Amino acid sequence: MKSLRIIYVLFFSIIIMSCSSDDVKNDPSEGPEFHATINGAPFSNYHFQLGFYDVVKGTNGNTLKFSIADKNGKQMTLFLNSSGGFKTGTVKQMGDVDSDKFRTYIEIKDNQPSVQYFSQSGTLKITNNREHPSNSQKSLISGEFNVVASTIDGTNSITMKGSFNDLEFLK
């Protein structure tokens, strides 16, 4: 009889613990994503797998710098100046210089072979910039870009298309 009471107590304890609302997440974001293709092929001829990213507002509060690296060491920097702001629908022109003399650009670093590309033309469109659903001090930004980039000496040129989704940064 005593063991039957213990089983009932355990049974109800499990039910009560499983009904706890602490485990419920109301975060509709799907997590950070970044995809890119060069000349119609995946980044550096393979799928770019997001390994690390950091999005930081500039000290003046008017710029955004995205530092993105994949799991194999490829790196990209997206630098957005203040022209037009960062609201949903804003289109950033590569090479645009704002009133503070900051230029919008994309830099691509490939370590195999070691080469750097800098955007010469193209656009980046912010498709979504919203408050983080679970942290009011952060924002989530998404966008898409299509650029032509060249090596410093101009001997090699590439076309790059890509998108990013729900990259978070401090407001």
Side-chain angles (χ1 to χ4, degrees):
M1 188 73 145
K2 197 173 200 175
S3 63
L4 194 54
R5 283 189 213 156
I6 293 173
I7 291 173
Y8 284 128
V9 170
L10 288 173
F11 177 74
F12 286 116
S13 297
I14 292 171
I15 289 174
I16 290 170
M17 289 173 58
S18 66
C19 293
S20 173
S21 63
D22 293 341
D23 296 334
V24 176
K25 278 191 163 186
N26 292 324
D27 186 353
S29 69
E30 296 178 21
E33 295 179 344
F34 183 88
H35 303 282
T37 59
I38 292 180
N39 294 335
F43 186 77
S44 296
N45 297 318
Y46 70 95
H47 183 67
F48 186 95
Q49 298 176 359
L50 184 62
F52 166 82
Y53 80 92
D54 189 32
V55 180
V56 180
K57 266 193 164 180
T59 55
N60 65 358
N62 295 330
T63 60
L64 278 180
K65 181 180 179 181
F66 300 66
S67 299
I68 302 167
D70 78 347
K71 294 178 180 182
N72 295 312
K74 312 295 188 209
Q75 299 173 8
M76 289 184 62
T77 300
L78 286 71
F79 186 85
L80 307 179
N81 68 14
S82 64
S83 296
F86 305 105
K87 293 181 182 172
T88 300
T90 300
V91 176
K92 301 286 194 172
Q93 294 289 331
M94 294 300 119
D96 175 68
V97 178
D98 68 9
S99 60
D100 293 324
K101 307 288 189 251
F102 290 112
R103 179 181 306 272
T104 292
Y105 68 89
I106 294 179
E107 176 186 7
I108 306 157
K109 294 179 184 177
D110 190 352
N111 59 359
Q112 291 295 330
S114 181
V115 65
Q116 281 181 286
Y117 295 92
F118 294 92
S119 58
Q120 301 301 310
S121 62
T123 60
L124 182 146
K125 180 180 181 181
I126 298 171
T127 57
N128 198 0
N129 187 353
R130 61 189 173 99
E131 184 176 293
H132 195 289
S134 61
N135 186 339
S136 62
Q137 295 182 355
K138 293 184 178 183
S139 291
L140 296 174
I141 191 164
S142 301
E144 55 193 25
F145 54 92
N146 188 354
V147 299
V148 173
S150 300
T151 54
I152 294 173
D153 62 6
T155 58
N156 293 321
S157 181
I158 60 169
T159 300
M160 180 176 220
K161 286 185 172 188
S163 64
F164 52 94
N165 188 44
D166 288 342
L167 300 182
E168 70 178 44
F169 64 98
L170 287 172
K171 290 183 178 180

